[in-house]
């Protein structure tokens, strides 16, 4: 059932650049000029046109999101969002939640029905995966409750270990929702 938000979330393990979804989300930095980690992988797979599009947009503040075409990717769009550098302060969770909500809002505005997120901020930016998973899933649930156009949100994790953390997080939220 489309209204059951838990049926609209899914966990997958792998490389986000390989996904044939309407949009993949990039864990970018404020310059939007590419970088390492998932950002580097997305730019390599999408080709130089992606950087051209990002240059036209300019900078993106932390917590906000911007959209470009997917260029050479199978995904139609790339949504670039900038996660917080982990500091251990409450502001981290607010900014990370904003990344998910702003990305989902932009996706819905552009007719996206399937979207995949990497574990934003959980690499170079140092956010502990168990804390980030809670924020990511909570923000996504909150968004999906008020939206019916997005059919599937994939949390695309790079390791089985991270996927297990997300699985537990979703399970415990589903239990407390029942
Ligand atoms: N597919 C899916 N997940 C991936 C992939 C991939 N191909 N490659 C890495 N990950 P990070 P951040 C995972 O460091 O912490 C960049 O230089 C990775 O294992 O890419 O938000 C930007 O330009 C981790 O779990 O992003 C910024 O400067 C997650 O993606 C900075 O890093 C995020 O790790 C952003 O840091």
């Amino acid at each position: 059932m489309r209204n059951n938000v838990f049926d609209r979330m899914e966990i997958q393990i792998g490389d986000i650049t390989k996904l044939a979804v309407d949009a993949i989300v990039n864990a970018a930095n404020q310059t939007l000029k590419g970088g390492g980690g998932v950002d580097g992988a997305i730019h390599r797979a999408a080709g130089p046109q992606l950087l051209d599009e990002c240059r036209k947009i300019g900078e993106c503040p932390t917590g906000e999101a911007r959209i470009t075409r997917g260029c050479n990717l199978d995904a139609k769009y790339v949504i670039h969002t900038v996660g917080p550098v982990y500091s251990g302060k409450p502001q981290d969770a607010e900014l990370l939640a904003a990344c998910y909500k702003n990305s989902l809002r932009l996706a819905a505005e552009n007719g996206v029905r399937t979207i995949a997120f990497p574990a934003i901020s959980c690499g170079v930016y140092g956010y502990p995966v168990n804390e980030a998973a809670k924020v990511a899933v909570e923000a996504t649930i909150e968004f999906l409750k008020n939206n019916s156009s997005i059919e599937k949100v994939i949390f695309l994790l790079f390791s089985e270990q991270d996927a297990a953390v997300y699985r537990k997080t979703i399970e415990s939220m589903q239990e407390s929702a029942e």
Side-chain angles (χ1 to χ4, degrees):
M1 199 174 82
R2 222 172 175 195
N3 280 340
N4 185 343
V5 295
F6 289 97
D7 290 344
R8 292 155 71 198
M9 295 189 294
E10 189 177 302
I11 293 164
Q12 286 187 27
I13 301 167
D15 178 352
I16 203 164
T17 65
K18 305 274 192 266
L19 287 191
V21 286
D22 293 337
I24 61 169
V25 177
N26 181 18
N29 60 62
Q30 291 184 1
T31 71
L32 295 189
K33 285 183 180 156
V38 72
D39 194 6
I42 289 173
H43 275 274
R44 274 193 301 279
Q49 282 182 335
L50 186 65
L51 189 55
D52 291 342
E53 289 208 22
C54 286
R55 283 215 175 97
K56 283 181 200 143
I57 292 169
E59 303 223 324
C60 177
T62 303
E64 293 190 16
R66 302 286 184 267
I67 192 164
T68 62
R69 289 179 306 116
C71 304
N72 292 337
L73 294 167
D74 286 334
K76 187 173 180 198
Y77 297 110
V78 178
I79 294 175
H80 307 260
T81 189
V82 183
V85 176
Y86 187 70
S87 68
K89 295 180 186 154
Q91 197 195 10
D92 296 338
E94 283 166 30
L95 288 168
L96 190 60
C99 287
Y100 284 88
K101 288 183 195 166
N102 286 326
S103 297
L104 288 164
R105 185 180 44 75
L106 204 49
E109 283 168 7
N110 285 275
V112 165
R113 295 187 177 278
T114 53
I115 180 169
F117 283 93
I120 298 162
S121 285
C122 292
V124 177
Y125 283 178
Y127 215 117
V129 178
N130 59 337
E131 286 182 37
K134 212 168 160 275
V135 174
V137 175
E138 262 172 14
T140 301
I141 289 173
E142 207 177 304
F143 183 89
L144 290 179
K145 274 185 184 164
N146 298 307
N147 162 281
S148 58
S149 67
I150 294 186
E151 291 164 7
K152 189 68 81 183
V153 177
I154 299 168
F155 296 107
L156 198 285
L157 286 318
F158 214 35
S159 69
E160 172 54 50
Q161 218 177 351
D162 289 352
V165 173
Y166 267 72
R167 221 172 277 131
K168 270 196 168 171
T169 304
I170 291 180
E171 275 166 17
S172 71
M173 285 186 195
Q174 194 162 12
E175 276 163 22
S176 54
E178 280 166 2

